[in-house]
Short mmCIF file of all heavy atoms in Angstrom, two decimals:
data_model
loop_
_atom_site.label_atom_id
_atom_site.label_comp_id
_atom_site.label_asym_id
_atom_site.label_seq_id
_atom_site.Cartn_x
_atom_site.Cartn_y
_atom_site.Cartn_z
N LYS A 259 129.03 -185.52 -128.57
CA LYS A 259 128.66 -184.34 -127.75
C LYS A 259 127.75 -183.41 -128.55
O LYS A 259 126.69 -183.01 -128.07
CB LYS A 259 129.92 -183.61 -127.27
CG LYS A 259 130.75 -184.46 -126.33
CD LYS A 259 132.02 -183.79 -125.89
CE LYS A 259 133.03 -183.64 -126.99
NZ LYS A 259 133.50 -184.92 -127.55
N SER A 260 128.18 -183.08 -129.77
CA SER A 260 127.34 -182.19 -130.59
C SER A 260 126.03 -182.88 -130.94
O SER A 260 124.97 -182.25 -130.97
CB SER A 260 128.07 -181.79 -131.87
OG SER A 260 129.30 -181.22 -131.54
N SER A 261 126.11 -184.20 -131.21
CA SER A 261 124.88 -184.94 -131.55
C SER A 261 123.91 -184.90 -130.37
O SER A 261 122.70 -184.82 -130.56
CB SER A 261 125.19 -186.38 -131.88
OG SER A 261 126.17 -186.46 -132.86
N GLU A 304 130.79 -174.62 -127.47
CA GLU A 304 131.52 -175.86 -127.78
C GLU A 304 133.00 -175.66 -127.50
O GLU A 304 133.54 -174.56 -127.66
CB GLU A 304 131.32 -176.22 -129.26
CG GLU A 304 129.91 -176.69 -129.57
CD GLU A 304 129.84 -178.14 -130.00
OE1 GLU A 304 130.45 -178.99 -129.31
OE2 GLU A 304 129.19 -178.40 -131.02
N ASP A 305 133.66 -176.72 -127.12
CA ASP A 305 135.10 -176.72 -126.85
C ASP A 305 135.49 -175.56 -125.94
O ASP A 305 136.33 -174.74 -126.29
CB ASP A 305 135.89 -176.64 -128.17
CG ASP A 305 135.58 -177.83 -129.05
OD1 ASP A 305 135.46 -178.94 -128.51
OD2 ASP A 305 135.43 -177.65 -130.26
N THR A 372 130.78 -177.89 -123.99
CA THR A 372 131.42 -179.17 -124.32
C THR A 372 132.93 -179.01 -124.26
O THR A 372 133.46 -177.91 -124.46
CB THR A 372 131.04 -179.66 -125.74
OG1 THR A 372 131.73 -178.87 -126.71
CG2 THR A 372 129.56 -179.63 -126.00
N LYS A 513 137.88 -184.33 -140.40
CA LYS A 513 137.95 -183.12 -139.59
C LYS A 513 139.21 -182.32 -139.95
O LYS A 513 139.19 -181.11 -140.06
CB LYS A 513 137.97 -183.52 -138.12
CG LYS A 513 137.49 -182.43 -137.23
CD LYS A 513 136.66 -182.97 -136.12
CE LYS A 513 136.00 -181.80 -135.43
NZ LYS A 513 135.12 -182.14 -134.41
MG1 LIG B 1102 131.28 -181.52 -131.34
#
Side-chain angles (χ1 to χ4, degrees):
K259 295 178 291 298
S260 305
S261 307
E304 289 246 49
D305 300 321
T372 74
K513 204 141 191 176

